[in-house]
Amino acid sequence: MSDRAQSMGLVVVGAGGRMGRTLIRAVDAMDGVHLAGAIEREGSEHVGRDAGLLAGLGESGVTVSDDPLPIFAEAQGVLDFTSPAASVEFAGLAAQARIVHVVGTTGCSEEDEAAFRAAARHARIVKSGNMSLGVNLLSVLVRKAAEALGDDWDIEIAEMHHRHKVDAPSGTALLLGEAAAEGRGVSLDAASVRGRDGHTGTREAGTIGFAALRGGSVVGEHAVTFAGEGERVELAHKADDRSIFARGAVKAALWAHTRKPGLYSMLDVLGLAE
Ligand SMILES: NC(=O)C1=CN([C@@H]2O[C@H](COP(=O)(O)OP(=O)(O)OC[C@H]3O[C@@H](n4cnc5c(N)ncnc54)[C@H](OP(=O)(O)O)[C@@H]3O)[C@@H](O)[C@H]2O)C=CC1
Ligand SMILES: O=C(O)C1=N[C@H](C(=O)O)C[C@H](O)C1
């Protein structure tokens, strides 16, 4: 059997995007996978182009298409960093094709999350606001710190991203907030304070604050500050390159290939779940 026949065929959706192009390069560079398709939305200028050339590689023989279902039917997995509405639609198609769906898209609503849970009855979905090893390890440290320090330490989460980002707080900031809330044994929905402006009054004890900065080409920076009386603990991550997310996504697809249908996180993939 040829190497290609044994390797996992992956479709990159949103192929022309910042992450889409990075994913095509990661699939090309990593063992055990090959590019089985590339999708962009109908009307996109990228439809009809060669996916390898689009990503700055040589010709790949894979043409960007706007018709996902027949391509999903011939593949084993989908790498999806697009938009919430697109990812919900791709989850339905991945469920129909009974394949792996790796979702990195952020900014999803509770209704979107319910759609992913429904699709995960048939698809193997790995979904995370951050696919890097470093951030997932950071989330474990944040949970432990929140548990150890108790609620007289105030928790504040700050993030900075490039000027093109459309959602706030970032998926990573929310993931770190969930970890902190879990460590404290509270619900993030009840504890979170999203931004402050004007005469806010003093800080309410037990809350978890979020602040979002946007500018330039910053790939992604996150810091969780535990502020106590007379001292502070800061846990932080800085992404220098989008390839860390793309490599994580390919790893997630390979991991999920042999799993049962279900909704998994990057902590499951990395063996960091408790
Ligand atoms: N979890 C993680 O580790 C990471 C998550 N992300 C998240 O990934 C997402 C994408 O980020 P980024 O690459 O910077 O964004 P981009 O805007 O650069 O890329 C998104 C791409 O998806 C395309 N797209 C949108 N709708 C569809 C559709 N229905 N069918 C096919 N393609 C579609 C867009 O096309 P068009 O421009 O024509 O609309 C665009 O090419 C964001 O939610 C971001 O937060 C990013 C990095 C890491
Ligand atoms: O939009 C981005 O770029 C990123 N989005 C993710 C997020 O919302 O946390 C992950 C990473 O920080 C880059």
Side-chain angles (χ1 to χ4, degrees), residues 39-48 64-67:
I39 302 292
E40 260 297 341
R41 65 183 170 73
E42 207 181 331
S44 163
E45 58 179 324
H46 304 304
V47 172
V64 179
S65 161
D66 59 6
D67 188 10

Side-chain angles (χ1 to χ4, degrees), residues 13-129:
V13 295
R18 279 175 289 277
M19 278 305 299
R21 293 171 201 234
T22 313
L23 287 160
I24 292 169
R25 292 192 288 273
V27 171
D28 181 67
M30 289 174 73
D31 291 335
V33 290
H34 66 271
L35 189 66
I39 302 292
E40 260 297 341
R41 65 183 170 73
E42 207 181 331
S44 163
E45 58 179 324
H46 304 304
V47 172
R49 291 184 63 188
D50 181 273
L53 296 178
L54 179 62
L57 302 169
E59 208 159 313
S60 65
V62 172
T63 304
V64 179
S65 161
D66 59 6
D67 188 10
L69 190 55
I71 292 171
F72 284 18
E74 299 296 320
Q76 285 82 52
V78 179
L79 305 178
D80 176 357
F81 292 63
T82 54
S83 70
S87 291
V88 165
E89 195 183 327
F90 290 133
L93 299 179
Q96 250 179 278
R98 304 284 197 270
I99 59 175
V100 169
H101 186 198
V102 178
V103 185
T105 306
T106 58
C108 298
S109 66
E110 192 35 57
E111 202 182 339
D112 299 330
E113 299 296 348
F116 293 123
R117 285 193 292 275
R121 288 201 287 269
H122 300 296
R124 284 148 281 158
I125 301 183
V126 181
K127 183 171 184 298
S128 176

